[in-house]
Amino acid sequence: MNPANEYPSADGLWTGLRLATDAGVEAAIAVTDGMIRWVGARDALPAEFASLVPHDGGGALVTPGLVDCHTHLVYGGQRANEFAMRLAGATYEEVAKAGGGIVSSVRATREADEDTLFAEAAPRLAQLLADGVCAIEIKSGYGLSLEHERKQLRVARRLGDAYGVTVRTTFLGAHALPPEYAGRSGDYIDLVCDQMLPALAAEGLVDAVDVFCERIAFSLEETEQVFKAAKALGLPVKLHAEQLSDMGGAALAARYGALSCDHIEHLSAEGIEAMRQSGTVAVLLPGAYYTLRDTHLPPIEALRAAGVPMAVSTDHNPGTSPALSLLLMMNMACTLFRLTVPEALAGVTVHAARALGLSSTHGVIAEGMPANFVLWNVRDAAELAYWFGQRPVRSVVRRGRIAVGAAV
Ligand code: NIG
Ligand code: FE
């Protein structure tokens, strides 16, 4: 299956557009060889682009292609049973301690072969793409052995090829302690650092390295050991930080120049200052906050005051955020976290791209970048965050191809 083969070229002159930043003026985008050659007010179009094949945007609002910068999209099975347990009063930590949680997805992922994992993840990816996603991060972390982490990462790469979407793979071998290492956390982290990570990096399967730093996962010292191994291989790091408690993970990650710190409900003032200094992106995950019925808000006002870039992502995973709409996450980021609409839009575009090290190719509509943009059937950019359960996509141009919507 390779749907990307079917997408028509987006080369040509796109007119009848309104930029979210300047919606009062008709805008145009010139695309050749899949690259944006020019963007601006239609009136100012250079003559050299006037004869390109026309694409009529019909007055649509245009934004950069969306970027989902934190997902655990590839896994076996699902965990609706835990949803029921939590409805009956159990907490996430209690579910994990009862043998559920991440480890139950590890069992199902290990049992599934590569084709099965691909077939299960593909419709989930298709849902996200239908919302205008043009780049996505996919983490491992449900294999927890070389063989099974490799399987997850290979499926992530295959999904990118099949759907013509930019996939950044993140190795999250330090997601949970696999049952066969019970009581031997140090031995498992040695395995992650000395064997799994170098082997998978050598196979070209790792774009970044992540750790779940938490009471129910790995300590600060173990996190640093993984970061050192990543740095030795020249790989960027990111962190599941301060989700359930303040472990000091964000400050550590910032010392290692982390691309992002994610969740961060319990982020301290020191953590914010360290992130500001290192230029680390704060990734907000309102889907997990909502699912866990968390009440401890991330320190949005302090992040804003410090000028730390805030991204918004689905955190798609079978336990804490079975979310398949980045637009819905924009809505939740506004409603639950009080982001403004422009902040939420920047959170799923320019800042999300930065959280993946993709600033030079994604997140903005600019000359010299690959053509990744979305046409929306809305009057006002606020509608992208206002509706929920609505999908106002008119067309998605992804990697220079019209991936969603009729050719116009
Ligand atoms: O991002 N926080 C840790 N990892 C995931 C949850 C994974 C799971 O429960 O399966 C998260 O929320
Ligand atoms: Fe996560």
Side-chain angles (χ1 to χ4, degrees), residues 261-395:
C261 290
D262 305 38
H263 286 290
I264 54 164
E265 277 81 353
H266 295 260
L267 181 63
S268 66
E270 296 75 38
I272 293 173
E273 176 54 19
M275 288 172 69
R276 185 189 67 75
Q277 284 179 23
S278 60
T280 299
V281 177
V283 178
L284 306 173
L285 304 171
Y289 178 93
Y290 165 82
T291 300
L292 297 176
R293 301 181 76 223
D294 205 342
T295 50
H296 199 293
L297 284 164
I300 302 297
E301 192 50 60
L303 287 164
R304 188 183 278 137
V308 173
M310 292 183 278
V312 174
S313 168
T314 60
D315 188 18
H316 177 88
N317 76 74
T320 63
S321 191
L324 288 169
S325 166
L326 197 49
L327 292 182
L328 178 57
M329 297 306 110
M330 286 177 70
N331 173 271
M332 287 188 180
C334 294
T335 302
L336 298 174
F337 295 168
R338 295 332 242 171
L339 259 60
T340 66
V341 171
E343 282 174 336
L345 186 54
V348 296
T349 54
V350 62
H351 299 324
R354 176 166 165 180
L356 295 183
L358 289 176
S359 293
S360 61
T361 52
H362 291 77
V364 294
I365 302 175
E367 200 180 308
M369 308 259 284
N372 290 299
F373 53 83
V374 186
L375 274 55
W376 306 95
N377 288 322
V378 298
R379 292 221 52 75
D380 188 323
E383 289 181 70
L384 301 179
Y386 158 73
W387 304 103
F388 50 104
Q390 148 89 302
R391 181 169 277 160
V393 168
R394 175 186 170 103
S395 307

Side-chain angles (χ1 to χ4, degrees), residues 70 72 139 172 175 240 263 285 315 317:
H70 179 140
H72 310 248
K139 300 176 194 291
L172 180 55
H175 192 197
H240 280 74
H263 286 290
L285 304 171
D315 188 18
N317 76 74

